[in-house]
Amino acid sequence: MYDVMAVGNALVDHEYLLNDQQLTQTSLAKGSMTLASLEEQTQLLTEFEAQQLQPSKQTGGGSAANAMFAFASLGGKSFYGCRVGDDKAGEFYLADLNQAGVATTSEKSVSAGGVTGSCVVTITPDGERTMQTYLGTSSDINADNLDFDALAQSSWLYFEGYLAMSESLRPALQQLRQQAKDNNIRIAVSFADPAVVNFAKEGLLEVLGDGVNTIFCNAEEAMLFTETKNITEAAQALTQYCQLAVVTNSAKDTVICEKDADAATTLTQVPTPKVDKVIDTNGAGDNYSGAFLYALSQGHSLTECGKLAGTVASQVVQQFGPRLTVEQYQAIAEQVLSA
């Protein structure tokens, strides 16, 4: 049995520390994600090499994978469906997840002759992450890469918003949604990035279908999606698509809006822990979603869920890379959930 099955793009992250002038020269939109071809990704890396910029860290990445890494490290049972190449990067990627306790199926996930996707993550002095992503073989993920038996054994199904950009996966997403609906499996969706809302809203609406249990997003994504002007309005408007909307707002309070059976909504605000210095925001939202969903799956209150998620995310932004160590996650869980 699994607490959650997730589906997402499998990407190996390569992090670079850049100043704002260097980032401007790349033409990437600060704070957002840009999809790139292999040629464009290679060109960017060549430019970095010419400037003698070396990656500060290489790690497994991908939005849903980061969330599941947090979920499993906190003590949950998670399964991750993805597509990697039969290369060293793909081998590293799956082994990294398995070591943290995230289950995968290599027979379905590994694409013969495929190239594992990569994400160039640039971090500016303010800690903001900007990404250029080459999806590689992950762009061709389809039903053959997904373990529907694993979903049958799960209580939750989790989608990352980036999947809204994948044409090849849409039929499989509908199959997953239908199976979840038929078996009373709850669905959670993370919007993942403002670029998803800006450029793939139609696909995102398809992912949401006739409604899901939970939506995770930040204030910018929420307001873009709902075309509202403040976080409270946005959170309430999101309940047209879900029972529970969880909207983070950087260092400000997270707003949680819950809809009951009569469509009445209740707002809960959870303070975000103060951080002395933001070093790297890469993966913070993913970790928030994974930690919140873990606490929710274990029957904790919404306030407790928000406290755990906020504490995990606040630790993530204070170090380089999108993931903490298993020991860090467990220490936070003991501190927050046993208090």
Side-chain angles (χ1 to χ4, degrees):
M1 294 291 291
Y2 300 105
D3 296 310
V4 58
M5 174 187 174
V7 181
N9 288 314
L11 306 169
V12 175
D13 283 359
H14 304 271
E15 286 209 349
Y16 289 81
L17 305 179
L18 271 64
N19 58 40
D20 285 294
Q21 183 179 357
Q22 289 170 320
L23 178 61
T24 301
Q25 291 172 353
T26 67
S27 299
L28 297 176
K30 185 172 181 176
S32 194
M33 187 280 296
T34 303
L35 287 178
S37 63
L38 178 58
E39 291 74 21
E40 289 169 329
Q41 190 84 308
T42 302
Q43 181 182 347
L44 181 62
L45 292 173
T46 301
E47 290 173 4
F48 285 172
E49 190 175 339
Q51 297 177 55
Q52 298 184 320
L53 293 169
Q54 298 296 322
S56 62
K57 193 165 188 176
Q58 175 178 301
T59 181
S63 180
N66 290 337
M68 291 305 99
F69 191 96
F71 191 100
S73 296
L74 287 163
K77 295 179 180 179
S78 61
F79 184 96
Y80 184 61
C82 63
R83 181 180 172 115
V84 299
D86 57 349
D87 48 21
K88 287 185 177 179
E91 185 178 338
F92 159 77
Y93 188 86
L94 294 180
D96 190 44
L97 287 174
N98 296 158
Q99 190 173 358
V102 181
T104 58
T105 306
S106 57
E107 292 81 6
K108 291 181 175 291
S109 297
V110 178
S111 168
V115 177
T116 301
S118 62
C119 182
V120 175
V121 185
T122 66
I123 308 298
T124 41
D126 59 358
E128 184 62 84
R129 103 289 189 261
T130 301
M131 302 181 293
Q132 178 173 279
T133 300
Y134 166 59
L135 291 174
T137 194
S138 187
S139 65
D140 297 318
I141 185 172
N142 57 49
D144 294 337
N145 303 121
L146 304 178
D147 192 328
F148 288 85
D149 290 337
L151 177 59
Q153 302 175 57
S154 302
S155 300
W156 284 84
L157 172 61
Y158 180 95
F159 293 136
E160 64 175 56
Y162 293 121
L163 298 176
M165 296 177 163
S166 174
E167 292 286 343
S168 64
L169 189 59
R170 287 188 180 183
L173 290 180
Q174 294 309 313
Q175 285 180 253
L176 289 167
R177 281 186 53 84
Q178 191 59 50
Q179 182 176 337
K181 187 175 181 180
D182 292 344
N183 293 278
N184 296 316
I185 296 167
R186 289 168 288 180
I187 302 173
V189 176
S190 168
F191 284 0
D193 195 284
V196 174
V197 183
N198 272 325
F199 304 114
K201 186 173 181 179
E202 185 179 334
L204 194 55
L205 285 166
E206 197 170 315
V207 172
L208 295 173
D210 58 359
V212 298
N213 181 274
T214 305
I215 289 175
F216 295 104
C217 59
N218 63 31
E220 180 183 0
E221 294 156 359
M223 289 185 286
L224 278 171
F225 185 83
T226 59
E227 298 179 5
T228 53
K229 294 184 178 180
N230 66 63
I231 186 171
T232 303
E233 286 181 11
Q236 290 175 318
L238 283 172
T239 58
Q240 296 176 52
Y241 309 91
C242 64
Q243 278 77 53
L244 186 67
V246 182
V247 187
T248 60
N249 195 15
S250 190
K252 299 176 183 177
D253 291 359
T254 291
V255 175
I256 303 170
C257 190
E258 185 177 26
K259 180 176 67 176
D260 64 19
D262 298 319
T265 57
T266 303
L267 288 171
T268 302
Q269 290 190 224
V270 181
T272 298
K274 303 300 179 188
V275 173
D276 292 332
K277 182 175 175 56
V278 174
I279 293 175
D280 179 1
T281 59
N282 182 28
D286 308 330
N287 276 269
Y288 191 101
S289 300
F292 192 104
L293 190 59
Y294 166 73
L296 191 63
S297 72
Q298 303 304 307
H300 290 280
S301 69
L302 293 181
T303 298
E304 289 173 323
C305 293
K307 284 182 178 178
L308 178 69
T311 305
V312 167
S314 69
Q315 185 62 50
V316 170
V317 301
Q318 293 182 78
Q319 64 184 54
F320 288 111
R323 299 172 182 174
L324 306 177
T325 65
V326 173
E327 292 75 20
Q328 283 176 297
Y329 286 113
Q330 292 179 350
I332 292 171
E334 185 176 350
Q335 169 201 336
V336 176
L337 298 182
S338 62

